[in-house]
Amino acid sequence: MVETRKDIFISYRNDGVGNNFATRISNDLKDSGYSVYFNPDEERRGDFPERLRQAIRVCKDFVCIVTEDYIAQLLSNNKICWTRDELLCARKYEKNIIPLLVNGTTMPDDASGFPEKLQFFPNIDAYVFPEQYIKSPYSVLCGILLSRNDGKNGYRDVYNSSKLFDVDKVLADTLVQAENGDVSAMLTAGIYYYYGISGGKDERKAAFWLKKVSATEGEYAPVADKFIARMYYAGSMPRENQSYEKSYEYHVKSARGDMYSAGQVGFMKTIGSGCDYDYEQTEQYYLSILNSLDNPRKDTLCRFYMSHGEFGKAAKIYETMAETYPEAAFQMGIMNRTGVLSSPFKPDYFEAARYFQMALEGGYPQAAYELGALYFNPTGGLKKDFAKAQKYYLMAAQTNNVYALYMLGYMYSYGHVEKNLQLSIEYFEKAAKQGHILSAAQLALLYQKPEFHNYEKAFNYCKYASDCGDAPSEFVLGTMYLSGRGCEPNEDKAYLCFKHAAENGAPEALMMLKQMDELGI
């Protein structure tokens, strides 16, 4: 049987109104991409079933459809009452309980009329929903859910669907063997808890079993040591402080049998994390294991070389990885663009473009901006191509690359390919929100144009760019203070802006200072 885990549990009374409303709210939540447990065909007879208890235990939100009959059931002394059992179960597991009052139902003012165990219920914030609700209360409900809408996915909630492998049963059987002293089973249990293979991560239990395996110093110990090292590195070892020294110690123990740990030892050596720094020892260590490392660990060595100016050594390794590791192709593009692979430095823009294209095709979006820059400002024989530049900037902008956003604003502002000041403002705004100074400076000018005028925005953007040291913006700020545009006029501040801008290389500011002096301002 396929096992699922749903984020939202719908509790209701099958009294017509409750069932109908529960059906609608469930369908709306599912259509919005939420994960919902709702079974309209449930026969609510007999003892409260374990399957419902389990569904409530794993959910995030407990939404109860409160009708008059729902409250009457809670107030009754009926021996069997599933709504009561569901609510108490949600309370026990500390779920986010959300009562929805439907069809004019009101919550009793006096909680003392409820059984003692249920007296908490009237004190929970409840939300009024008309039976035929509209968008507003539904939006409020979505806003208070702990669950998140992550789109529609037929396998979103599937937890255990294999007919051949029951993950929970395997763990249970493994624990029995581990408790009987089987070291292999101990390691398996530790791994299950570390990764959350059954029921979510539990680092306390993971540490318990992994430390037992490590203490044996047998054939399985290096694997356990790797996970212990990772926990010390992350600071997730229960009841112990984060420690790079202990992480390094355990990775060294694990490195003799695990390439991940071997690579991590190398990485920690490159920055002296948990150990002493030594360039030559680090290089020798890496080269001794280089052929056994995966691409991310080789990348660490390449970055180590580049940080010390050994670009040729980095490129020699990156070239072997470029077709399968997009980061390597990107770095080859950067090194060719900057010319650091030649002595004296000499850029190779054609090779740079080739590697950036390789990186982009491999799924590395940062390369899109670099390609855009190459075609916008071509050098070394490349031809200018604004259409290609815009194409790649648009790709990079989808990842919110601040420089691509600025360049798109710039291109739309000045009509490279197409002039569209509204789009220009939109892109500059996105970049300015990330603190991009030149975008703020451009917005200070655009918001003073008659068709887009918002002088207060123009002033605020201009002041920000000026405060960050942009001399042209300081000149513009002076003109705004002088005329009182978007701000209170202040001739003294205007004069200081012009004076400072002039001192920072803006000769036009000298003209304004002269004009102010002549006018006696």
Side-chain angles (χ1 to χ4, degrees), residues 481-482 489-499 516 521:
Y481 275 129
L482 186 59
N490 190 315
E491 297 80 7
D492 292 337
K493 287 185 177 180
Y495 194 89
L496 289 175
C497 284
F498 292 140
K499 185 174 183 295
M516 289 183 74
I521 299 175

Side-chain angles (χ1 to χ4, degrees), residues 233-254:
Y233 191 91
S236 62
M237 181 61 72
R239 298 180 180 175
E240 295 194 50
N241 293 329
Q242 188 275 346
S243 173
Y244 292 128
E245 289 75 18
K246 286 187 176 180
S247 177
Y248 180 79
E249 173 192 339
Y250 276 96
H251 272 310
V252 168
K253 290 170 64 177
S254 175

Side-chain angles (χ1 to χ4, degrees), residues 252-263:
V252 168
K253 290 170 64 177
S254 175
R256 65 182 186 270
D258 186 278
M259 276 299 108
Y260 174 88
S261 279

Side-chain angles (χ1 to χ4, degrees), residues 281-293:
Q281 284 187 9
T282 300
E283 181 182 33
Q284 290 171 8
Y285 173 81
Y286 258 119
L287 293 177
S288 70
I289 60 172
L290 182 62
N291 292 333
S292 302
L293 293 177

Side-chain angles (χ1 to χ4, degrees), residues 244-360:
Y244 292 128
E245 289 75 18
K246 286 187 176 180
S247 177
Y248 180 79
E249 173 192 339
Y250 276 96
H251 272 310
V252 168
K253 290 170 64 177
S254 175
R256 65 182 186 270
D258 186 278
M259 276 299 108
Y260 174 88
S261 279
Q264 193 67 10
V265 167
F267 164 70
M268 297 181 80
K269 281 178 174 290
T270 65
I271 57 176
S273 175
C275 60
D276 293 330
Y277 175 84
D278 186 299
Y279 179 91
E280 290 186 1
Q281 284 187 9
T282 300
E283 181 182 33
Q284 290 171 8
Y285 173 81
Y286 258 119
L287 293 177
S288 70
I289 60 172
L290 182 62
N291 292 333
S292 302
L293 293 177
D294 59 9
N295 285 339
R297 258 45 70 177
K298 290 178 181 177
D299 182 40
T300 302
L301 174 58
C302 291
R303 291 177 182 276
F304 173 69
Y305 278 139
M306 289 192 296
S307 67
H308 291 84
E310 298 279 7
F311 299 108
K313 289 182 178 180
K316 186 176 180 181
I317 298 171
Y318 271 142
E319 280 179 335
T320 67
M321 305 158 56
E323 292 186 0
T324 57
Y325 193 65
E327 171 71 25
F330 179 76
Q331 293 298 340
M332 287 296 295
I334 293 292
M335 287 190 283
N336 276 283
R337 177 176 62 76
T338 54
V340 295
L341 298 179
S342 302
S343 182
F345 291 165
K346 184 179 180 182
D348 187 331
Y349 298 105
F350 286 99
E351 276 295 277
R354 183 174 75 84
Y355 277 114
F356 286 139
Q357 187 66 47
M358 189 184 299
L360 186 62

Side-chain angles (χ1 to χ4, degrees), residues 390 394 404-414 418-431 443 446 452:
Q390 186 181 67
L394 283 168
L405 293 170
Y406 169 74
M407 287 306 302
L408 285 169
Y410 187 89
M411 292 184 75
Y412 281 119
S413 181
Y414 292 100
E418 172 192 357
K419 187 162 186 171
N420 188 324
L421 294 182
Q422 184 59 54
L423 277 177
S424 178
I425 288 174
E426 290 176 15
Y427 282 113
F428 282 142
E429 287 271 13
K430 289 178 180 179
L443 287 167
L446 286 170
F452 299 109

